[in-house]
Amino acid sequence: MTDVDVVVPTYNDPPGTKRTLESLYRRSSGGRTIFVDNASTDHTHDVIRSYERDYDHVSFFIETAIQSSYAARNTGIRHTDADILAFLDADMTVSEDYFEHALTHLHENDLDYLGCRVDLTIPDDERTHTARYNAHTGFPIQQYLDRHRYAPTCALFVRRKVFEDVGLFDPRLRSGGDMEFGNRVDAAGYEMGY
């Protein structure tokens, strides 16, 4: 199995960060899990540090210069060394075989950039009509790739060589940085897939 480093930006979300850490601590692929806190003002740091103490593959960094998830992701990228990087958001969970399946698909199809399916879940106490609609429509990631040539950074795999060629995420952006980056990747001719 190829090592993959996972980069997760977080900001003021102790419960979401803990859910993600719980999901990732048992992952089946090698590599490091890099959490980058974007200057949280609550106890998010403490949640990450407790896992960093208990698990050798979990590392914690802070991005304070720019308030942007893309700046935090760039900080994480700078602290990785695997040839493949995965990106998640700090309120996501993954199955035990998530990385194995994604890496198999990436390698078998010789992809450089891979967007993955995201299923939205709704806590029982938040099952409003809007929440149920959003969960049903979800993230149409394959549609984003086909029509707009990008995948959201909440479920994305990218080969390091792509960053070395097209550069990192634009840290100035608060939103839309995944599309801006994906469009640069596409313009450079890299193989994209779902």
Side-chain angles (χ1 to χ4, degrees), residues 150-170:
Y150 84 99
T153 47
C154 65
L156 178 65
F157 287 74
V158 182
R159 292 186 190 270
R160 178 174 300 282
K161 69 180 183 181
V162 173
F163 289 108
E164 291 170 351
D165 184 27
V166 305
L168 302 178
F169 296 104
D170 186 337

Side-chain angles (χ1 to χ4, degrees), residues 1-6 23-24 26-31 84 86 88 94-109 111 114 116 157 159:
M1 176 65 58
T2 304
D3 282 356
V4 57
D5 287 346
V6 182
S23 165
L24 290 174
R26 65 183 183 274
R27 68 189 182 112
S28 59
S29 61
I84 299 172
L88 296 173
V94 296
S95 63
E96 285 188 47
D97 59 358
Y98 173 78
F99 295 98
E100 181 181 340
H101 284 298
L103 291 171
T104 297
H105 188 75
L106 184 116
H107 291 306
E108 286 179 353
N109 295 283
L111 299 173
L114 175 68
C116 299
F157 287 74
R159 292 186 190 270

Side-chain angles (χ1 to χ4, degrees), residues 44-173:
T44 300
H45 300 82
D46 299 331
V47 172
I48 303 167
R49 288 220 186 271
S50 69
Y51 281 80
E52 185 182 39
R53 280 191 300 272
D54 295 339
Y55 299 98
D56 292 340
H57 68 280
V58 174
S59 297
F60 173 55
F61 299 94
I62 301 174
E63 166 57 48
T64 58
I66 301 174
Q67 184 67 49
S68 153
S69 64
Y70 303 109
R73 288 181 184 95
N74 289 345
T75 296
I77 292 166
R78 290 183 189 102
H79 289 93
T80 63
D81 54 16
D83 289 333
I84 299 172
L85 305 179
F87 298 89
L88 296 173
D89 283 350
D91 57 355
M92 297 188 67
T93 61
V94 296
S95 63
E96 285 188 47
D97 59 358
Y98 173 78
F99 295 98
E100 181 181 340
H101 284 298
L103 291 171
T104 297
H105 188 75
L106 184 116
H107 291 306
E108 286 179 353
N109 295 283
D110 200 24
L111 299 173
D112 302 302
Y113 177 102
L114 175 68
C116 299
R117 189 178 92 199
V118 174
D119 295 320
L120 298 177
T121 58
I122 310 168
D124 287 336
D125 61 340
E126 297 177 21
R127 297 190 68 76
T128 65
H129 289 293
T130 302
R132 288 196 316 256
Y133 174 80
N134 288 340
H136 177 70
T137 56
F139 281 105
I141 294 173
Q142 188 169 12
Q143 199 173 22
Y144 293 160
L145 279 161
D146 292 344
R147 293 183 184 171
H148 306 290
R149 307 309 292 157
Y150 84 99
T153 47
C154 65
L156 178 65
F157 287 74
V158 182
R159 292 186 190 270
R160 178 174 300 282
K161 69 180 183 181
V162 173
F163 289 108
E164 291 170 351
D165 184 27
V166 305
L168 302 178
F169 296 104
D170 186 337
R172 300 166 300 173
L173 299 175

Side-chain angles (χ1 to χ4, degrees), residues 17-37:
T17 300
K18 183 173 181 171
R19 276 193 304 276
T20 303
L21 279 159
E22 285 288 318
S23 165
L24 290 174
Y25 87 89
R26 65 183 183 274
R27 68 189 182 112
S28 59
S29 61
R32 296 170 59 215
T33 300
I34 313 272
F35 270 76
V36 182
D37 185 88

